[in-house]
mmCIF file of all heavy atoms in Angstrom:
data_model
loop_
_atom_site.group_PDB
_atom_site.id
_atom_site.type_symbol
_atom_site.label_atom_id
_atom_site.label_comp_id
_atom_site.label_asym_id
_atom_site.label_seq_id
_atom_site.Cartn_x
_atom_site.Cartn_y
_atom_site.Cartn_z
ATOM 1 N N ASP A 1 17.483 -65.440 74.798
ATOM 2 C CA ASP A 1 17.733 -64.500 75.842
ATOM 3 C C ASP A 1 16.464 -63.680 76.316
ATOM 4 O O ASP A 1 16.252 -63.472 77.412
ATOM 5 C CB ASP A 1 18.861 -63.546 75.379
ATOM 6 C CG ASP A 1 20.158 -64.107 75.188
ATOM 7 O OD1 ASP A 1 20.433 -65.286 75.685
ATOM 8 O OD2 ASP A 1 21.068 -63.464 74.703
ATOM 9 N N GLU A 2 15.575 -63.404 75.323
ATOM 10 C CA GLU A 2 14.434 -62.587 75.684
ATOM 11 C C GLU A 2 13.444 -63.638 76.413
ATOM 12 O O GLU A 2 12.873 -62.980 77.436
ATOM 13 C CB GLU A 2 13.683 -62.260 74.293
ATOM 14 C CG GLU A 2 14.140 -61.063 73.652
ATOM 15 C CD GLU A 2 13.218 -60.616 72.458
ATOM 16 O OE1 GLU A 2 12.357 -59.983 72.702
ATOM 17 O OE2 GLU A 2 13.630 -61.012 71.266
ATOM 18 N N ILE A 3 13.273 -64.801 76.168
ATOM 19 C CA ILE A 3 12.435 -65.735 76.825
ATOM 20 C C ILE A 3 12.970 -65.840 78.164
ATOM 21 O O ILE A 3 12.188 -65.856 79.140
ATOM 22 C CB ILE A 3 12.329 -67.072 76.109
ATOM 23 C CG1 ILE A 3 11.570 -66.866 74.887
ATOM 24 C CG2 ILE A 3 11.581 -68.147 76.998
ATOM 25 C CD1 ILE A 3 11.453 -68.039 73.957
ATOM 26 N N CYS A 4 14.393 -66.044 78.336
ATOM 27 C CA CYS A 4 14.879 -66.213 79.691
ATOM 28 C C CYS A 4 14.753 -65.018 80.523
ATOM 29 O O CYS A 4 14.504 -65.083 81.744
ATOM 30 C CB CYS A 4 16.382 -66.670 79.523
ATOM 31 S SG CYS A 4 16.734 -68.304 78.950
ATOM 32 N N ALA A 5 14.839 -63.829 79.856
ATOM 33 C CA ALA A 5 14.584 -62.623 80.693
ATOM 34 C C ALA A 5 13.266 -62.449 81.270
ATOM 35 O O ALA A 5 13.061 -61.823 82.268
ATOM 36 C CB ALA A 5 15.146 -61.320 79.889
ATOM 37 N N ALA A 6 12.347 -62.889 80.438
ATOM 38 C CA ALA A 6 10.915 -62.622 80.675
ATOM 39 C C ALA A 6 10.215 -63.792 81.494
ATOM 40 O O ALA A 6 9.207 -63.581 82.106
ATOM 41 C CB ALA A 6 10.063 -62.407 79.453
ATOM 42 N N SER A 7 10.848 -64.997 81.525
ATOM 43 C CA SER A 7 10.217 -66.199 82.115
ATOM 44 C C SER A 7 10.238 -66.243 83.560
ATOM 45 O O SER A 7 11.308 -66.177 84.127
ATOM 46 C CB SER A 7 10.821 -67.423 81.452
ATOM 47 O OG SER A 7 10.271 -68.576 82.226
ATOM 48 N N PRO A 8 9.088 -66.236 84.239
ATOM 49 C CA PRO A 8 9.209 -66.306 85.737
ATOM 50 C C PRO A 8 9.857 -67.633 86.216
ATOM 51 O O PRO A 8 10.399 -67.871 87.276
ATOM 52 C CB PRO A 8 7.771 -66.210 86.217
ATOM 53 C CG PRO A 8 6.893 -66.549 85.030
ATOM 54 C CD PRO A 8 7.720 -66.172 83.824
ATOM 55 N N HIS A 9 9.748 -68.767 85.323
ATOM 56 C CA HIS A 9 10.257 -70.056 85.667
ATOM 57 C C HIS A 9 11.877 -69.986 85.699
ATOM 58 O O HIS A 9 12.432 -70.558 86.528
ATOM 59 C CB HIS A 9 9.752 -71.102 84.741
ATOM 60 C CG HIS A 9 8.285 -71.189 84.719
ATOM 61 N ND1 HIS A 9 7.522 -71.880 85.641
ATOM 62 C CD2 HIS A 9 7.401 -70.664 83.813
ATOM 63 C CE1 HIS A 9 6.260 -71.797 85.378
ATOM 64 N NE2 HIS A 9 6.098 -71.025 84.220
ATOM 65 N N ILE A 10 12.343 -69.272 84.629
ATOM 66 C CA ILE A 10 13.851 -69.077 84.623
ATOM 67 C C ILE A 10 14.333 -68.262 85.756
ATOM 68 O O ILE A 10 15.278 -68.671 86.365
ATOM 69 C CB ILE A 10 14.281 -68.505 83.261
ATOM 70 C CG1 ILE A 10 13.767 -69.397 82.110
ATOM 71 C CG2 ILE A 10 15.774 -68.248 83.298
ATOM 72 C CD1 ILE A 10 14.416 -70.797 82.187
ATOM 73 N N LYS A 11 13.559 -67.238 86.140
ATOM 74 C CA LYS A 11 13.903 -66.376 87.310
ATOM 75 C C LYS A 11 13.943 -67.248 88.599
ATOM 76 O O LYS A 11 14.793 -67.024 89.337
ATOM 77 C CB LYS A 11 12.904 -65.153 87.358
ATOM 78 C CG LYS A 11 13.178 -64.204 86.216
ATOM 79 C CD LYS A 11 12.103 -63.047 86.248
ATOM 80 C CE LYS A 11 12.290 -62.175 85.116
ATOM 81 N NZ LYS A 11 11.320 -61.089 85.058
ATOM 82 N N LEU A 12 12.880 -68.074 88.752
ATOM 83 C CA LEU A 12 12.901 -69.048 89.823
ATOM 84 C C LEU A 12 14.117 -69.924 89.865
ATOM 85 O O LEU A 12 14.720 -70.128 90.927
ATOM 86 C CB LEU A 12 11.608 -69.772 89.888
ATOM 87 C CG LEU A 12 11.444 -70.821 91.056
ATOM 88 C CD1 LEU A 12 11.457 -70.099 92.288
ATOM 89 C CD2 LEU A 12 10.217 -71.554 90.837
ATOM 90 N N ILE A 13 14.416 -70.521 88.781
ATOM 91 C CA ILE A 13 15.679 -71.375 88.691
ATOM 92 C C ILE A 13 16.921 -70.681 89.141
ATOM 93 O O ILE A 13 17.700 -71.034 89.804
ATOM 94 C CB ILE A 13 15.792 -72.028 87.326
ATOM 95 C CG1 ILE A 13 14.682 -73.028 87.124
ATOM 96 C CG2 ILE A 13 17.094 -72.725 87.156
ATOM 97 C CD1 ILE A 13 14.512 -73.520 85.631
ATOM 98 N N ASP A 14 17.081 -69.394 88.564
ATOM 99 C CA ASP A 14 18.233 -68.557 88.841
ATOM 100 C C ASP A 14 18.148 -68.256 90.393
ATOM 101 O O ASP A 14 19.274 -68.354 91.032
ATOM 102 C CB ASP A 14 18.111 -67.279 88.062
ATOM 103 C CG ASP A 14 18.513 -67.462 86.655
ATOM 104 O OD1 ASP A 14 19.017 -68.489 86.256
ATOM 105 O OD2 ASP A 14 18.226 -66.596 85.842
ATOM 106 N N LYS A 15 17.022 -67.956 90.965
ATOM 107 C CA LYS A 15 16.929 -67.684 92.314
ATOM 108 C C LYS A 15 17.336 -68.947 93.186
ATOM 109 O O LYS A 15 18.151 -68.897 94.211
ATOM 110 C CB LYS A 15 15.477 -67.238 92.851
ATOM 111 C CG LYS A 15 15.308 -66.913 94.191
ATOM 112 C CD LYS A 15 15.912 -65.656 94.656
ATOM 113 C CE LYS A 15 15.409 -65.296 96.092
ATOM 114 N NZ LYS A 15 16.310 -65.546 97.106
ATOM 115 N N GLN A 16 16.853 -70.053 92.812
ATOM 116 C CA GLN A 16 17.254 -71.404 93.541
ATOM 117 C C GLN A 16 18.683 -71.594 93.405
ATOM 118 O O GLN A 16 19.271 -72.031 94.481
ATOM 119 C CB GLN A 16 16.434 -72.481 92.803
ATOM 120 C CG GLN A 16 14.981 -72.418 93.189
ATOM 121 C CD GLN A 16 14.180 -73.430 92.312
ATOM 122 O OE1 GLN A 16 14.557 -73.955 91.278
ATOM 123 N NE2 GLN A 16 12.965 -73.859 92.751
ATOM 124 N N THR A 17 19.329 -71.332 92.356
ATOM 125 C CA THR A 17 20.811 -71.509 92.066
ATOM 126 C C THR A 17 21.455 -70.474 93.144
ATOM 127 O O THR A 17 22.330 -71.063 93.899
ATOM 128 C CB THR A 17 21.125 -71.240 90.771
ATOM 129 O OG1 THR A 17 20.461 -72.130 89.843
ATOM 130 C CG2 THR A 17 22.604 -71.439 90.547
ATOM 131 N N GLN A 18 21.075 -69.305 93.220
ATOM 132 C CA GLN A 18 21.673 -68.319 94.098
ATOM 133 C C GLN A 18 21.518 -68.772 95.450
ATOM 134 O O GLN A 18 22.461 -68.563 96.316
ATOM 135 C CB GLN A 18 21.109 -66.949 93.825
ATOM 136 C CG GLN A 18 21.517 -66.353 92.518
ATOM 137 C CD GLN A 18 20.536 -65.191 92.197
ATOM 138 O OE1 GLN A 18 19.717 -64.684 92.970
ATOM 139 N NE2 GLN A 18 20.740 -64.575 90.974
ATOM 140 N N ASP A 19 20.272 -69.252 95.889
ATOM 141 C CA ASP A 19 19.996 -69.656 97.215
ATOM 142 C C ASP A 19 20.804 -70.822 97.570
ATOM 143 O O ASP A 19 21.246 -70.941 98.835
ATOM 144 C CB ASP A 19 18.520 -69.977 97.447
ATOM 145 C CG ASP A 19 17.565 -68.757 97.403
ATOM 146 O OD1 ASP A 19 18.135 -67.557 97.460
ATOM 147 O OD2 ASP A 19 16.387 -68.885 97.251
ATOM 148 N N ALA A 20 21.036 -71.806 96.615
ATOM 149 C CA ALA A 20 21.904 -72.978 96.943
ATOM 150 C C ALA A 20 23.294 -72.456 97.317
ATOM 151 O O ALA A 20 24.025 -73.083 98.085
ATOM 152 C CB ALA A 20 21.814 -73.908 95.845
ATOM 153 N N ILE A 21 23.825 -71.510 96.346
ATOM 154 C CA ILE A 21 25.227 -71.054 96.702
ATOM 155 C C ILE A 21 25.294 -70.359 98.087
ATOM 156 O O ILE A 21 26.191 -70.549 98.951
ATOM 157 C CB ILE A 21 25.596 -70.128 95.631
ATOM 158 C CG1 ILE A 21 25.701 -70.949 94.244
ATOM 159 C CG2 ILE A 21 26.980 -69.399 95.870
ATOM 160 C CD1 ILE A 21 25.930 -70.052 92.968
ATOM 161 N N ALA A 22 24.214 -69.630 98.345
ATOM 162 C CA ALA A 22 24.226 -68.773 99.550
ATOM 163 C C ALA A 22 24.132 -69.715 100.934
ATOM 164 O O ALA A 22 24.515 -69.282 101.933
ATOM 165 C CB ALA A 22 22.972 -67.767 99.668
ATOM 166 N N LEU A 23 23.620 -70.881 100.737
ATOM 167 C CA LEU A 23 23.636 -71.826 101.786
ATOM 168 C C LEU A 23 24.974 -72.128 102.367
ATOM 169 O O LEU A 23 25.272 -72.408 103.629
ATOM 170 C CB LEU A 23 22.815 -73.140 101.400
ATOM 171 C CG LEU A 23 21.311 -73.088 101.439
ATOM 172 C CD1 LEU A 23 20.779 -74.469 100.767
ATOM 173 C CD2 LEU A 23 20.769 -72.874 102.664
ATOM 174 N N GLN A 24 25.915 -72.235 101.398
ATOM 175 C CA GLN A 24 27.423 -72.533 101.785
ATOM 176 C C GLN A 24 28.176 -71.390 101.871
ATOM 177 O O GLN A 24 29.144 -71.555 102.685
ATOM 178 C CB GLN A 24 27.770 -73.500 100.643
ATOM 179 C CG GLN A 24 29.052 -74.270 100.953
ATOM 180 C CD GLN A 24 28.686 -75.415 102.080
ATOM 181 O OE1 GLN A 24 27.587 -75.857 102.169
ATOM 182 N NE2 GLN A 24 29.749 -75.899 102.781
ATOM 183 N N TYR A 25 27.876 -70.282 101.054
ATOM 184 C CA TYR A 25 28.819 -69.132 101.057
ATOM 185 C C TYR A 25 27.966 -67.814 101.122
ATOM 186 O O TYR A 25 27.309 -67.558 100.172
ATOM 187 C CB TYR A 25 29.588 -69.144 99.778
ATOM 188 C CG TYR A 25 30.651 -70.331 99.638
ATOM 189 C CD1 TYR A 25 30.146 -71.530 98.951
ATOM 190 C CD2 TYR A 25 31.816 -70.296 100.221
ATOM 191 C CE1 TYR A 25 31.080 -72.595 99.002
ATOM 192 C CE2 TYR A 25 32.781 -71.315 100.122
ATOM 193 C CZ TYR A 25 32.321 -72.454 99.526
ATOM 194 O OH TYR A 25 33.237 -73.574 99.458
ATOM 195 N N ASP A 26 28.164 -67.157 102.203
ATOM 196 C CA ASP A 26 27.316 -65.907 102.320
ATOM 197 C C ASP A 26 28.147 -64.840 101.325
ATOM 198 O O ASP A 26 29.185 -65.120 100.730
ATOM 199 C CB ASP A 26 27.345 -65.422 103.694
ATOM 200 C CG ASP A 26 28.669 -64.992 104.375
ATOM 201 O OD1 ASP A 26 29.718 -64.776 103.657
ATOM 202 O OD2 ASP A 26 28.695 -64.895 105.594
ATOM 203 N N HIS A 27 27.559 -63.637 101.249
ATOM 204 C CA HIS A 27 28.038 -62.724 100.279
ATOM 205 C C HIS A 27 29.499 -62.356 100.615
ATOM 206 O O HIS A 27 30.387 -62.359 99.599
ATOM 207 C CB HIS A 27 27.214 -61.470 100.284
ATOM 208 C CG HIS A 27 27.473 -60.504 99.339
ATOM 209 N ND1 HIS A 27 27.290 -60.668 97.965
ATOM 210 C CD2 HIS A 27 28.155 -59.150 99.356
ATOM 211 C CE1 HIS A 27 27.559 -59.543 97.255
ATOM 212 N NE2 HIS A 27 28.125 -58.638 98.135
ATOM 213 N N ALA A 28 29.846 -62.204 101.833
ATOM 214 C CA ALA A 28 31.279 -61.819 102.151
ATOM 215 C C ALA A 28 32.184 -63.055 101.862
ATOM 216 O O ALA A 28 33.320 -62.726 101.399
ATOM 217 C CB ALA A 28 31.407 -61.508 103.641
ATOM 218 N N ALA A 29 31.786 -64.167 102.044
ATOM 219 C CA ALA A 29 32.704 -65.366 101.877
ATOM 220 C C ALA A 29 32.941 -65.520 100.215
ATOM 221 O O ALA A 29 33.947 -65.946 99.793
ATOM 222 C CB ALA A 29 32.125 -66.588 102.458
ATOM 223 N N GLU A 30 31.865 -65.220 99.536
ATOM 224 C CA GLU A 30 31.914 -65.248 98.004
ATOM 225 C C GLU A 30 32.946 -64.292 97.575
ATOM 226 O O GLU A 30 33.807 -64.550 96.757
ATOM 227 C CB GLU A 30 30.578 -65.142 97.299
ATOM 228 C CG GLU A 30 30.001 -66.433 97.077
ATOM 229 C CD GLU A 30 29.036 -66.341 96.079
ATOM 230 O OE1 GLU A 30 27.943 -65.897 96.095
ATOM 231 O OE2 GLU A 30 29.411 -66.686 94.848
ATOM 232 N N LEU A 31 32.767 -62.977 98.097
ATOM 233 C CA LEU A 31 33.679 -62.018 97.586
ATOM 234 C C LEU A 31 35.069 -62.209 97.967
ATOM 235 O O LEU A 31 36.014 -61.998 97.150
ATOM 236 C CB LEU A 31 33.229 -60.586 98.224
ATOM 237 C CG LEU A 31 31.937 -59.928 97.678
ATOM 238 C CD1 LEU A 31 31.510 -58.743 98.465
ATOM 239 C CD2 LEU A 31 32.170 -59.611 96.285
ATOM 240 N N LYS A 32 35.326 -62.777 99.106
ATOM 241 C CA LYS A 32 36.784 -63.214 99.641
ATOM 242 C C LYS A 32 37.298 -64.237 98.613
ATOM 243 O O LYS A 32 38.404 -64.048 98.139
ATOM 244 C CB LYS A 32 36.722 -63.673 101.052
ATOM 245 C CG LYS A 32 38.109 -64.138 101.553
ATOM 246 C CD LYS A 32 38.033 -64.699 102.882
ATOM 247 C CE LYS A 32 39.404 -65.096 103.248
ATOM 248 N NZ LYS A 32 39.393 -65.874 104.489
ATOM 249 N N ALA A 33 36.520 -65.251 98.268
ATOM 250 C CA ALA A 33 36.969 -66.350 97.384
ATOM 251 C C ALA A 33 37.276 -65.705 96.063
ATOM 252 O O ALA A 33 38.323 -66.084 95.453
ATOM 253 C CB ALA A 33 35.927 -67.493 97.350
ATOM 254 N N LEU A 34 36.441 -64.857 95.605
ATOM 255 C CA LEU A 34 36.625 -64.304 94.273
ATOM 256 C C LEU A 34 37.776 -63.323 94.256
ATOM 257 O O LEU A 34 38.584 -63.341 93.337
ATOM 258 C CB LEU A 34 35.366 -63.555 93.730
ATOM 259 C CG LEU A 34 34.195 -64.464 93.437
ATOM 260 C CD1 LEU A 34 32.886 -63.658 93.170
ATOM 261 C CD2 LEU A 34 34.423 -65.383 92.264
ATOM 262 N N ARG A 35 37.981 -62.708 95.410
ATOM 263 C CA ARG A 35 39.043 -61.654 95.486
ATOM 264 C C ARG A 35 40.480 -62.333 95.526
ATOM 265 O O ARG A 35 41.416 -62.047 94.866
ATOM 266 C CB ARG A 35 38.878 -60.806 96.629
ATOM 267 C CG ARG A 35 39.913 -59.632 96.812
ATOM 268 C CD ARG A 35 39.716 -58.695 97.920
ATOM 269 N NE ARG A 35 39.647 -59.482 99.309
ATOM 270 C CZ ARG A 35 38.437 -59.611 99.953
ATOM 271 N NH1 ARG A 35 37.349 -59.172 99.601
ATOM 272 N NH2 ARG A 35 38.584 -60.251 101.051
ATOM 273 N N LEU A 36 40.492 -63.389 96.301
ATOM 274 C CA LEU A 36 41.719 -64.148 96.552
ATOM 275 C C LEU A 36 41.996 -65.250 95.405
ATOM 276 O O LEU A 36 43.108 -65.550 95.104
ATOM 277 C CB LEU A 36 41.717 -65.006 97.845
ATOM 278 C CG LEU A 36 41.703 -63.978 99.062
ATOM 279 C CD1 LEU A 36 41.596 -64.867 100.338
ATOM 280 C CD2 LEU A 36 42.891 -63.120 99.106
ATOM 281 N N GLY A 37 40.911 -65.681 94.735
ATOM 282 C CA GLY A 37 41.106 -66.470 93.648
ATOM 283 C C GLY A 37 41.831 -67.935 93.938
ATOM 284 O O GLY A 37 41.773 -68.345 95.056
ATOM 285 N N THR A 38 42.689 -68.304 93.061
ATOM 286 C CA THR A 38 43.415 -69.605 93.272
ATOM 287 C C THR A 38 44.393 -69.488 94.378
ATOM 288 O O THR A 38 44.942 -70.519 94.848
ATOM 289 C CB THR A 38 44.067 -69.967 92.046
ATOM 290 O OG1 THR A 38 44.984 -69.026 91.614
ATOM 291 C CG2 THR A 38 42.907 -70.360 90.937
ATOM 292 N N SER A 39 44.771 -68.304 94.897
ATOM 293 C CA SER A 39 45.580 -68.269 96.118
ATOM 294 C C SER A 39 44.959 -68.633 97.381
ATOM 295 O O SER A 39 45.719 -68.831 98.409
ATOM 296 C CB SER A 39 46.257 -66.865 96.165
ATOM 297 O OG SER A 39 45.265 -65.927 96.494
ATOM 298 N N ASP A 40 43.672 -68.675 97.270
ATOM 299 C CA ASP A 40 42.879 -69.077 98.528
ATOM 300 C C ASP A 40 42.919 -70.604 98.654
ATOM 301 O O ASP A 40 42.496 -71.303 97.735
ATOM 302 C CB ASP A 40 41.448 -68.502 98.474
ATOM 303 C CG ASP A 40 40.587 -68.896 99.696
ATOM 304 O OD1 ASP A 40 41.125 -69.574 100.576
ATOM 305 O OD2 ASP A 40 39.497 -68.457 99.671
ATOM 306 N N PRO A 41 43.340 -71.233 99.695
ATOM 307 C CA PRO A 41 43.308 -72.719 99.896
ATOM 308 C C PRO A 41 41.982 -73.223 99.786
ATOM 309 O O PRO A 41 41.777 -74.435 99.326
ATOM 310 C CB PRO A 41 43.826 -72.890 101.330
ATOM 311 C CG PRO A 41 44.270 -71.607 101.862
ATOM 312 C CD PRO A 41 43.827 -70.535 101.046
ATOM 313 N N GLY A 42 40.816 -72.542 100.005
ATOM 314 C CA GLY A 42 39.438 -73.016 99.788
ATOM 315 C C GLY A 42 38.902 -72.783 98.383
ATOM 316 O O GLY A 42 37.751 -73.070 98.078
ATOM 317 N N TRP A 43 39.720 -72.172 97.524
ATOM 318 C CA TRP A 43 39.214 -71.915 96.195
ATOM 319 C C TRP A 43 38.671 -73.048 95.458
ATOM 320 O O TRP A 43 37.559 -73.053 94.884
ATOM 321 C CB TRP A 43 40.379 -71.263 95.407
ATOM 322 C CG TRP A 43 39.942 -71.084 93.927
ATOM 323 C CD1 TRP A 43 40.226 -71.895 92.839
ATOM 324 C CD2 TRP A 43 38.986 -70.146 93.324
ATOM 325 N NE1 TRP A 43 39.810 -71.421 91.693
ATOM 326 C CE2 TRP A 43 39.004 -70.336 91.995
ATOM 327 C CE3 TRP A 43 38.229 -69.111 93.937
ATOM 328 C CZ2 TRP A 43 38.005 -69.587 91.143
ATOM 329 C CZ3 TRP A 43 37.503 -68.325 93.097
ATOM 330 C CH2 TRP A 43 37.389 -68.526 91.742
ATOM 331 N N ALA A 44 39.369 -74.236 95.371
ATOM 332 C CA ALA A 44 38.869 -75.366 94.695
ATOM 333 C C ALA A 44 37.478 -75.866 95.175
ATOM 334 O O ALA A 44 36.662 -76.150 94.414
ATOM 335 C CB ALA A 44 39.936 -76.475 94.792
ATOM 336 N N THR A 45 37.377 -75.766 96.547
ATOM 337 C CA THR A 45 36.125 -76.243 97.145
ATOM 338 C C THR A 45 34.970 -75.227 96.750
ATOM 339 O O THR A 45 33.865 -75.735 96.353
ATOM 340 C CB THR A 45 36.248 -76.349 98.681
ATOM 341 O OG1 THR A 45 37.263 -77.278 99.021
ATOM 342 C CG2 THR A 45 35.010 -76.761 99.237
ATOM 343 N N TYR A 46 35.245 -74.103 96.831
ATOM 344 C CA TYR A 46 34.328 -73.046 96.426
ATOM 345 C C TYR A 46 33.936 -73.149 95.095
ATOM 346 O O TYR A 46 32.736 -73.227 94.546
ATOM 347 C CB TYR A 46 34.941 -71.595 96.696
ATOM 348 C CG TYR A 46 34.040 -70.550 96.051
ATOM 349 C CD1 TYR A 46 32.841 -70.019 96.608
ATOM 350 C CD2 TYR A 46 34.530 -69.926 94.788
ATOM 351 C CE1 TYR A 46 32.108 -69.045 95.927
ATOM 352 C CE2 TYR A 46 33.780 -68.978 94.188
ATOM 353 C CZ TYR A 46 32.607 -68.501 94.781
ATOM 354 O OH TYR A 46 31.864 -67.524 94.058
ATOM 355 N N PHE A 47 34.879 -73.168 94.118
ATOM 356 C CA PHE A 47 34.658 -73.281 92.629
ATOM 357 C C PHE A 47 33.865 -74.501 92.341
ATOM 358 O O PHE A 47 32.924 -74.399 91.540
ATOM 359 C CB PHE A 47 36.012 -73.271 91.992
ATOM 360 C CG PHE A 47 35.884 -73.223 90.546
ATOM 361 C CD1 PHE A 47 35.539 -71.950 89.810
ATOM 362 C CD2 PHE A 47 36.023 -74.303 89.756
ATOM 363 C CE1 PHE A 47 35.398 -72.013 88.388
ATOM 364 C CE2 PHE A 47 35.889 -74.383 88.294
ATOM 365 C CZ PHE A 47 35.571 -73.228 87.686
#
C-alpha cells in the first residue's frame, strides 16, 4: 500500500483507468448508474 501510494507509475495507471471509464461514462452518468444500481437497464453494460 505504501509503494502504491508513493509510486508515480501506479498513479498514472490509476489515472489511465479513470480516463478509460470517463471516455464511456461521464461523472453524472456514473453517479446515475451507481444510484440506480441493478434497477437501471444499463447497469450490466456499465458494470
Side-chain angles (χ1 to χ4, degrees):
D1 293 347
E2 281 186 80
I3 291 172
C4 286
S7 174
H9 303 285
I10 298 301
K11 290 176 185 174
L12 177 61
I13 292 168
D14 288 344
K15 176 79 169 99
Q16 290 170 338
T17 301
Q18 293 167 2
D19 290 349
I21 293 169
L23 283 174
Q24 198 70 22
Y25 296 93
D26 65 17
H27 189 68
E30 268 208 278
L31 287 175
K32 178 182 176 188
L34 292 170
R35 184 176 58 250
L36 296 176
T38 57
S39 66
D40 181 356
W43 171 257
T45 302
Y46 165 78
F47 184 78

